[in-house]
Amino acid sequence: MKRLLVTGAAGFIGANFVHYWLSQHADDRVVVLDALTYAGNLETLMPLMDKPNFRFVKGNIGNTELVELLLREEQIDTLVHFAAESHVDRSITGPDAFVETNIIGTHSLLKAARSVWLADPANPLPHRFHHVSTDEVYGTLGANDPAFTEQTQYAPNSPYSASKAASDHLVRAYHHTYGLNVTTSNCSNNYGYYHFPEKLIPLCLTNILEGKPLPIYGDGKQIRDWLFVEDHCRGIELVLQKGVTGETYNIGGVNEWQNIDIVNLLCELMDGEFAADASLAERYPQSPCAQGKPANSLITYVKDRAGHDRRYAIDCSKIERELGFKPAETFETGVRKTVRWYLDNQSWVDNVKSGAYQTWIDQQYTKRK
Ligand code: NAD
Ligand code: TYD
């Protein structure tokens, strides 16, 4: 039985991870530490709140004493670190928070882990620090360049990717210098349930329903590799179970798409959903699909993102070969499920967008404690 501390699990991937983990490891203890920034939504974790082996703690990863306390009092043996500022556009307009959370916050966690798990370096407590990172640390690729491997030189281009790269280096250094038992995974773009609607896929899905423009940056021909979020969670599970300490593992879907093609696909799928279910037009009257127009009539080309990376592609043969990783979802099945989820969970989207849930759920949570 493991005892996990999961940071940032009120956000997109962390929340999917704890739901997945508890579905697969029902007896494990899971403690979540999350500061509930704009991207954190406690509503997503509400179904877990009454489980005796689940605990939510509102707090900042930069609070070293709090993390030390949790590691000791919960006898944590596995720390899975998702907490981050994660949106590239926000890192361009406000990089400070990225340095604060992604670099200084990660360092604070490492210090806490070292002080508790390696208090007696000759007799370390059993432990693993798993750091969740991104393929964006490797920079950008030309159309014919080979995909990123774990040996690709770091060349981050945005304040977001630079801050993640710095955190990866700190994690590596704590292993090399102090012997902390660490692993790191660098994953490509995720999509799926509970995705905050500022990122491309959930933004487009919610904008189609609300009849708002679908902004395409630049020429829309930038390429990303996409992976269903639960497959990312499976990859992290494999690294925790079988990964070698000190190693890094690329995780991806081997599934490259141009942005404009993704957006057109989402439009087609949404058109199909409205054609198949007449009640959708009543629920989403602002959508062009409810007014006899195709969703792609909302596509609007806008000014490109500053420093926009052209292409990411990930070679995940190491995790396939060494740990047996294989995505369970194809892009076709994963995107269909995601479209359906956004159609069926309008209240989650409304709550997360209005921010109403922040105060409401905070109050509920405080009452419960
Ligand atoms: P997210 O923005 O949806 O969620 C981040 C979570 O971290 C939120 O719940 C937020 O409240 C919390 N948080 C932020 N600052 C905090 C702090 N100082 N202390 C405690 N909690 C804090 O992010 P995500 O998309 O779920 O990404 C999770 C991790 O995965 C990040 O480290 C990101 O770099 C990495 N990653 C993301 C993707 C992707 O496609 N989204 C791909 C590869 C890697
Ligand atoms: P995003 O979801 O922000 O992820 P990342 O920047 O981490 O890859 O963006 C995915 C791609 O979509 C990226 O090339 C930027 C582009 N994009 C748009 O064209 N329009 C948008 O409104 C957004 C949010 C992103």
Side-chain angles (χ1 to χ4, degrees):
M1 202 191 86
K2 283 190 192 304
R3 303 182 67 87
L4 283 77
L5 177 64
V6 186
T7 71
F12 167 46
I13 308 175
N16 278 281
F17 177 80
V18 295
H19 281 290
Y20 172 77
W21 191 271
L22 285 169
S23 74
Q24 302 297 309
H25 310 274
D27 296 332
D28 282 3
R29 172 95 177 141
V30 172
V31 179
V32 167
L33 175 66
D34 196 297
L36 295 181
T37 69
Y38 81 94
N41 184 4
L42 199 50
E43 184 181 2
T44 312
L45 297 176
M46 274 304 175
L48 302 175
M49 285 297 177
D50 290 328
K51 284 185 180 288
N53 55 338
F54 179 83
R55 177 180 172 195
F56 178 82
V57 178
K58 181 175 175 181
N60 199 304
I61 55 167
N63 185 343
T64 317
E65 293 76 27
L66 171 64
V67 177
E68 285 176 2
L69 183 86
L70 290 174
L71 292 177
R72 283 202 188 92
E73 104 182 355
E74 292 283 353
Q75 298 176 348
I76 298 295
D77 52 41
T78 305
L79 193 159
V80 190
H81 176 33
F82 291 93
E85 289 294 334
S86 69
H87 190 40
V88 174
D89 291 329
R90 287 179 189 256
S91 84
I92 295 167
T93 50
D96 298 61
F98 289 71
V99 171
E100 192 61 43
T101 291
N102 300 359
I103 306 178
I104 299 173
T106 300
H107 186 235
S108 166
L109 280 181
L110 288 163
K111 283 194 294 183
R114 180 184 169 214
S115 85
V116 174
W117 286 334
L118 304 179
D120 175 3
N123 293 298
L125 297 175
H127 69 275
R128 168 70 68 85
F129 185 112
H130 181 73
H131 177 53
V132 179
S133 192
T134 163
D135 61 354
E136 302 192 25
V137 298
Y138 298 120
T140 186
L141 293 169
N144 299 314
D145 288 338
F148 304 129
T149 71
E150 289 81 359
Q151 275 71 50
T152 302
Q153 194 175 333
Y154 274 32
N157 290 319
S158 70
Y160 164 65
S161 54
S163 65
K164 291 297 292 186
S167 65
D168 292 8
H169 292 322
L170 284 166
V171 171
R172 176 191 155 92
Y174 265 65
H175 171 67
H176 202 77
T177 305
Y178 304 116
L180 196 69
N181 183 352
V182 307
T183 40
T184 295
S185 50
N186 295 86
C187 189
S188 57
N189 285 57
N190 286 212
Y191 68 95
Y193 317 144
Y194 309 120
H195 203 177
F196 191 82
E198 65 180 351
K199 308 276 171 72
L200 182 68
I201 289 182
L203 178 81
C204 288
L205 293 177
T206 54
N207 281 8
I208 292 171
L209 297 178
E210 293 169 23
K212 293 183 179 159
L214 309 179
I216 307 291
Y217 297 168
D219 65 4
K221 293 187 176 162
Q222 303 84 2
I223 293 174
R224 300 289 182 265
D225 174 78
W226 294 90
L227 181 69
F228 190 61
V229 63
E230 208 169 278
D231 282 323
H232 184 188
C233 299
R234 286 196 183 88
I236 294 170
E237 178 185 41
L238 282 172
V239 176
L240 290 174
Q241 290 172 332
K242 300 199 256 172
V244 176
T245 182
E247 290 291 310
T248 66
Y249 297 89
N250 284 351
I251 307 179
V254 195
N255 175 44
E256 290 181 52
W257 282 74
Q258 285 190 351
N259 293 338
I260 186 65
D261 294 337
I262 294 254
V263 174
N264 273 313
L265 173 68
L266 299 176
C267 289
E268 275 170 35
L269 291 172
M270 214 46 120
D271 291 343
E273 292 285 349
F274 274 74
D277 178 355
S279 75
L280 290 177
E282 282 161 36
R283 280 165 56 201
Y284 302 105
Q286 304 302 324
S287 173
C289 310
Q291 300 161 8
K293 284 181 275 178
N296 68 8
S297 58
L298 295 172
I299 288 179
T300 309
Y301 285 86
V302 300
K303 189 170 176 285
D304 207 353
R305 172 187 278 174
H308 199 168
D309 284 339
R310 195 69 184 164
R311 174 176 169 239
Y312 303 140
I314 195 133
D315 178 338
C316 50
S317 51
K318 176 178 172 181
I319 192 169
E320 286 172 355
R321 194 178 55 247
E322 296 186 8
L323 309 186
F325 174 72
K326 193 173 181 308
E329 216 62 65
T330 65
F331 193 56
E332 205 191 25
T333 57
V335 165
R336 275 182 193 282
K337 284 184 180 178
T338 305
V339 170
R340 208 52 251 177
W341 191 88
Y342 278 88
L343 283 168
D344 294 341
N345 289 276
Q346 185 59 32
S347 70
W348 183 91
V349 173
D350 289 344
N351 287 343
V352 84
K353 280 171 84 155
S354 69
Y357 72 92
Q358 284 278 22
T359 14
W360 182 80
I361 289 177
D362 253 2
Q363 284 162 359
Q364 298 299 310
Y365 179 71
T366 314
K367 260 193 253 160
R368 293 158 68 102
K369 286 284 135 177

